[in-house]
Amino acid sequence: MEINLNKTIFVHLLFIYGCFLQSCINNKVKTELSEVALGYSSTSVNTTSFRNSSVTTFGDTQYIAYYDSDEYMVIGKRKLGENVWQTLRSDYKGRCRDAHDVVSLGVDGDGYLHVSFDQHAQKLKYCVSVAPGSLELSELKSMTDTLENSVTYPEFHRLSNGDMLFIYRDGSSGNGNMVINLYDTVNKKWNMIQSNLIDGEGERNAYWQMCIDNNDVVHVSWTWRESPKVETNHDICYAKSYDKGKTWFNSKEEQYVLPINISNAEIVCDVPQNSELINQTCMAVDSKGFVYIATYWRNADSTVPQYRLIWNDGNVWRNTQVSNRTQPFTLSGGGTKKIPVSRPKIAVENVKDKTIVYYICRDEEYQNKALLYLNENMESDFSKWEKYEMTLFELGAWEPSYDYQLWKEKQLLHIFVQKTAQGDHETVSELEPQMVYLMQVLK
């Protein structure tokens, strides 16, 4: 009997078999894949680092979002612990040729799904589920009717009482400001908390990453960009808020005069321009309230960018090199870049007297596989990183994103995985639709 497999199914089976083998080979880091459906793959729109919420969990239900092969936005859900996903193609399409136009998810305390999508300096596109737990979405809505005509990098963050923050850039690369809206679950209404938290003063903009700790302290770190060109990225700065984004402080508990700008921002790590410093990476906070920031850049005496970790040990800001890469590359120009490494993500947990850091990335130097750099005891030796391959098959232009809410609540690491392609400066590299997976790291 002859069995005919088309190329997509064959690649899919190879991918699953490879991850199965990886689980057998790797004694410390095992992974488990759950397949969702085929998704658009000719750009990295489904797998960019600034997809703050590609996956999110509410109660015992996990939600996922992506664009399908016809560029329609799809929302899916499953019960935690199950492998079967229920998916629904929405009526909304995205401009998938532009990798900026990502889908971002949030779930409020009442169980309503909030979705923002298809935005690169465009009018706000925002909708909600028609009922708690439903995959069916409403018509497009406004939030506040203010500063909604040039929206980029939308992201949702849920607070412990079920309220949500919505963050986005108003403006354009090299000339944009950070806006924060707050959703009140009682009144079911959005209010603008900050119209310009981090001010580029018309000369630059901040590329940020945000996280919220278990005490609802909002943490933000960012790098400045002086123009639309990525080589003008410089420095890493920090701020935090104890009141849902209204007032802000630096790490020394000194209150900022708002808006924060280049003259009063706390620089936690000096990195000059033309250092291959990347923007929009990841930050995390451990149970002690210590902040960790993942990124990469190149030292002045080297041509090779390295993955780095910046953290506050309760007294001072420190940084260490995570990787030992050997291949050089340079960053220059505007738009989405075709880069041989991904931007990193991190997750941090405290187990007894140890702080464990999971540092997730992809590197062409290691055949574009999903990688995990693991430090099992930061206090003992912050320079001791073990590298593990989480897949045996390459993922193209994939950058990691994971279920922050599930990690925050249960320390379960669920990562969005899909092989994607990406051309330089918003160009398309044709790649047939690839399977969307959720990969669980088994501890």
Side-chain angles (χ1 to χ4, degrees), residues 289-313:
F290 296 165
V291 176
Y292 300 79
I293 305 167
T295 187
Y296 66 74
W297 73 80
R298 172 185 57 80
N299 284 339
D301 60 354
S302 173
T303 61
V304 181
Q306 300 289 354
Y307 285 111
R308 319 275 180 167
L309 183 68
I310 302 163
W311 79 102
N312 191 300
D313 64 6

Side-chain angles (χ1 to χ4, degrees), residues 83-338:
N83 284 322
V84 178
W85 290 84
Q86 176 188 349
T87 61
L88 181 66
R89 177 195 266 195
S90 74
D91 294 329
Y92 300 119
K93 295 188 74 171
R95 295 163 299 170
C96 292
R97 296 179 65 89
D98 185 343
H100 289 81
D101 295 344
V102 300
V103 184
S104 185
L105 297 176
V107 184
D108 67 33
D110 293 325
Y112 284 90
L113 188 66
H114 297 244
V115 184
S116 181
F117 66 100
D118 191 37
Q119 293 173 170
H120 187 189
Q122 300 288 331
K123 183 176 176 61
L124 177 68
K125 292 184 179 178
Y126 162 70
C127 52
V128 299
S129 60
V130 297
S134 174
L135 300 180
E136 185 179 349
L137 301 175
S138 70
E139 73 283 356
L140 295 181
K141 300 174 177 287
S142 170
M143 284 186 178
T144 67
D145 286 323
T146 305
L147 300 179
E148 294 184 349
N149 290 323
S150 186
V151 176
T152 313
Y153 307 125
E155 55 185 83
F156 295 93
H157 297 266
R158 186 164 79 237
L159 298 160
S160 60
N161 67 349
D163 292 351
M164 288 196 306
L165 295 178
F166 180 69
I167 322 297
Y168 63 94
R169 185 186 72 193
D170 172 50
S172 58
S173 178
N175 182 16
N177 302 315
M178 184 179 182
V179 177
I180 302 179
N181 293 341
L182 174 65
Y183 181 74
D184 182 343
T185 53
V186 174
N187 297 311
K188 292 182 170 50
K189 182 179 179 182
W190 287 98
N191 292 292
M192 184 171 289
I193 301 300
Q194 299 289 344
S195 62
N196 185 14
L197 175 64
I198 305 176
D199 185 7
E201 302 175 290
E203 298 181 6
R204 62 189 61 84
N205 77 271
Y207 283 97
W208 68 83
Q209 44 276 331
M210 175 182 283
C211 66
I212 300 178
D213 67 25
N214 290 327
N215 295 314
D216 281 343
V217 180
V218 184
H219 303 265
V220 176
S221 60
W222 68 94
T223 182
W224 292 110
R225 181 178 292 187
E226 297 297 318
S227 78
K229 296 183 177 181
V230 64
E231 63 265 36
T232 65
N233 284 354
H234 65 94
D235 296 325
I236 298 168
C237 305
Y238 172 78
K240 62 182 174 181
S241 173
Y242 297 99
D243 56 4
K244 303 180 182 180
K246 296 176 184 177
T247 58
W248 290 82
F249 299 82
N250 63 23
S251 64
K252 299 175 183 178
E253 304 299 332
E254 298 166 340
Q255 186 171 345
Y256 279 110
V257 175
L258 300 181
I260 302 170
N261 58 42
I262 198 166
S263 65
N264 67 353
E266 178 189 14
I267 298 176
V268 301
C269 191
D270 293 285
V271 184
Q273 293 186 45
N274 297 297
S275 297
E276 276 61 69
L277 173 65
I278 195 58
N279 49 276
Q280 293 166 296
T281 54
C282 186
M283 66 186 304
V285 183
D286 67 16
S287 61
K288 302 174 186 177
F290 296 165
V291 176
Y292 300 79
I293 305 167
T295 187
Y296 66 74
W297 73 80
R298 172 185 57 80
N299 284 339
D301 60 354
S302 173
T303 61
V304 181
Q306 300 289 354
Y307 285 111
R308 319 275 180 167
L309 183 68
I310 302 163
W311 79 102
N312 191 300
D313 64 6
N315 296 305
V316 297
W317 289 96
R318 312 180 72 173
N319 72 83
T320 189
Q321 182 173 314
V322 173
S323 63
N324 286 295
R325 303 186 64 261
T326 62
Q327 295 181 2
F329 66 85
T330 58
L331 299 178
S332 64
T336 302
K337 308 306 298 178
K338 184 179 181 180

